[in-house]
Amino acid sequence: MTGPFNGEAGVRGHRHLDLELIDDASALTDADPGGMLRATASAGAQVRESAALAAEANLEAIADEGRPRAVVVAGVGTAGRTGDILATVAGARCPVPVLSHRSAGIPGWVGVGDVVLAVSASGRSPEALAAAEAAARRGARLVAIGAPDSDLELLADRARAPFIPVPRRAPARASLWALTVPVLLAARTLGLVKVNEADLAETAARLDLDADRCRPSLESFVNPAKSLALDLGNSVPIIWGSSSLATVAARRFADTLSSNARYPAVAGSLGEANRGRVGLLDGVYGGLAEAARDIFADPDEGAADPTRLRLVLLRDGGLSDESDDQGEPLALEERRADAVQALAERRGVRVSVVTAEGGSPLERLASLVAVPDFASIYLGLAHGLDPMAVPAVSEMKELSNR
């Protein structure tokens, strides 16, 4: 990962952040009373635990009727991201459509030939519960994934459908890997995705390694998550992925920036950037602001630095099922990434790069998610925010349930 946090210039550029806190392990622990850092560091353990729990479920029952016509992954928030992960890990060669469904119920065309995966970290999501009820009523095969002893488990029991219990972690965004692994293993049972035990073990090991690299006791100059958090300070992040896998990670990063750091972010694929969004680089937060800046002004006097764009490129150069044998589609995206980075730098828009590592698509995805997950937490803590408690989310639930 690269980023321009160097000495005094970096400190002045992030004057609104508590720079002393971000490199004080004890202060970070005090500022994180709910243990969001600790919960995020459990990602590798989540992979192992959920794989074991899925192995105990009777998933073979859903394969008895053969390959489905389509798979619908029903859930919202983090649960909804599991459908995106399944679709991109399965790749373009997946023999059936995979749909992420984020509203109540299920599409009208779903019936006896289809499979519905209802996912909810709490087991109480209205969207997942409605999807499970509709799937059972229409005769679709159902797999439910969520907290044990929940409404979702009761529904699955009544429908005689497999249920994979996922130990409850609050908030749900700390359970991405606990929810994702059962979804992948259910799809593997149906013959739709190639994820073996070695892939899961390597993914868990990658998440463990990144958790160690991003631990609170490591200072920012050797901690990639703290460095990325400092890069993003007082900016409007634009997060683009160079492949479908990296785009899922980009959208996950925007999710965690919103919740953990309360930062707005633009996220998507380089293909979307190429179709017009790259114009942001010339806008009032990009090149236009840079052109108006007085390079002779004393940064220690006057108003704070203006809010600027920060481009974050998530780069995935590995071959996957989305490419042909020569990797040409991914090679095109990598050329686009080079071009976008050059355009940004010409306009004075600073760039941070996170590069995928690992062999399997799942491990590469993990390498693109782990550091940004921690970065969003450090960014929130440095602004004096508790990443575990998001009052607006709680209030929204109260207002919508009246």
Side-chain angles (χ1 to χ4, degrees), residues 325-349:
D325 291 341
Q326 304 302 314
E328 181 55 30
L330 283 178
L332 171 62
E333 293 304 321
E334 288 302 301
R335 291 197 295 272
R336 283 177 175 167
D338 290 337
V340 166
Q341 185 167 347
L343 285 172
E345 290 170 348
R346 287 177 188 174
R347 287 155 175 77
V349 175

Side-chain angles (χ1 to χ4, degrees), residues 94-179:
C94 183
V96 306
V98 175
L99 172 70
S100 288
H101 187 69
R102 292 180 167 86
S103 55
I106 50 179
W109 50 262
V110 174
V112 294
D114 305 303
V115 170
V116 174
L117 308 180
V119 187
S120 169
S122 67
R124 300 193 308 269
S125 161
E127 293 81 3
L129 292 173
E133 287 179 334
R137 187 170 61 252
R138 296 188 201 175
R141 282 173 275 176
L142 170 67
V143 177
I145 300 163
D149 302 318
S150 63
D151 294 342
L152 187 58
E153 182 174 13
L154 290 174
L155 271 175
D157 186 57
R158 284 204 300 268
R160 298 182 180 179
F163 177 78
I164 303 174
V166 174
R168 179 72 193 276
R169 294 174 178 86
R173 61 186 178 278
S175 299
L176 175 67
W177 294 100
L179 297 171

Side-chain angles (χ1 to χ4, degrees), residues 52-330:
L53 291 169
E56 295 173 2
N58 184 27
L59 288 177
E60 295 300 328
I62 64 171
D64 291 344
E65 298 175 38
R67 180 181 293 171
R69 180 180 60 172
V71 173
V72 176
V73 183
V76 294
T78 300
R81 288 284 170 230
T82 66
D84 300 336
I85 293 173
L86 171 58
T88 194
V89 171
R93 297 176 185 173
C94 183
V96 306
V98 175
L99 172 70
S100 288
H101 187 69
R102 292 180 167 86
S103 55
I106 50 179
W109 50 262
V110 174
V112 294
D114 305 303
V115 170
V116 174
L117 308 180
V119 187
S120 169
S122 67
R124 300 193 308 269
S125 161
E127 293 81 3
L129 292 173
E133 287 179 334
R137 187 170 61 252
R138 296 188 201 175
R141 282 173 275 176
L142 170 67
V143 177
I145 300 163
D149 302 318
S150 63
D151 294 342
L152 187 58
E153 182 174 13
L154 290 174
L155 271 175
D157 186 57
R158 284 204 300 268
R160 298 182 180 179
F163 177 78
I164 303 174
V166 174
R168 179 72 193 276
R169 294 174 178 86
R173 61 186 178 278
S175 299
L176 175 67
W177 294 100
L179 297 171
T180 294
V181 170
V183 168
L184 293 173
L185 294 182
R188 184 181 73 176
T189 302
L190 294 166
L192 306 183
V193 66
K194 296 177 181 178
V195 175
N196 57 39
E197 277 60 38
D199 294 335
L200 294 173
E202 290 163 2
T203 299
R206 173 69 57 183
L207 291 166
D208 288 343
L209 175 64
D210 283 334
D212 186 60
R213 294 169 60 219
C214 299
R215 66 185 186 273
S217 59
L218 282 184
E219 295 181 336
S220 54
F221 67 92
V222 291
N223 186 319
K226 290 182 179 181
S227 178
L228 180 57
L230 291 169
D231 283 350
L232 293 176
N234 306 312
S235 73
V236 177
I238 302 180
I239 313 162
W240 284 328
S242 71
S243 70
S244 62
L245 202 72
T247 299
V248 170
R251 292 185 170 129
R252 160 71 177 184
F253 193 15
D255 292 343
T256 57
L257 281 172
S258 296
S259 298
N260 295 333
R262 287 44 143 195
Y263 264 55
V266 176
S269 70
L270 278 174
E272 293 168 336
N274 191 52
R275 299 299 190 273
R277 290 190 181 183
V278 72
L280 288 167
L281 301 176
D282 288 325
V284 294
Y285 296 109
L288 196 60
E290 182 64 21
R293 184 174 67 88
D294 182 358
I295 63 173
F296 297 105
D298 186 342
D300 288 328
E301 295 181 358
D305 291 344
T307 300
R308 297 292 313 282
L309 293 182
R310 161 68 71 163
L311 177 59
V312 181
L313 286 177
L314 303 186
R315 303 191 62 155
D316 171 28
L319 285 174
S320 76
D321 283 343
E322 68 188 81
S323 65
D324 60 23
D325 291 341
Q326 304 302 314
E328 181 55 30
L330 283 178

Side-chain angles (χ1 to χ4, degrees), residues 41-53:
S42 73
Q46 290 180 36
V47 171
R48 299 183 188 93
E49 180 183 47
S50 285
L53 291 169

Side-chain angles (χ1 to χ4, degrees), residues 5 10-17 19 229-234:
F5 180 72
V11 171
R12 288 194 293 265
H14 300 93
R15 62 181 61 180
H16 299 302
L17 302 180
L19 297 174
L230 291 169
D231 283 350
L232 293 176
N234 306 312

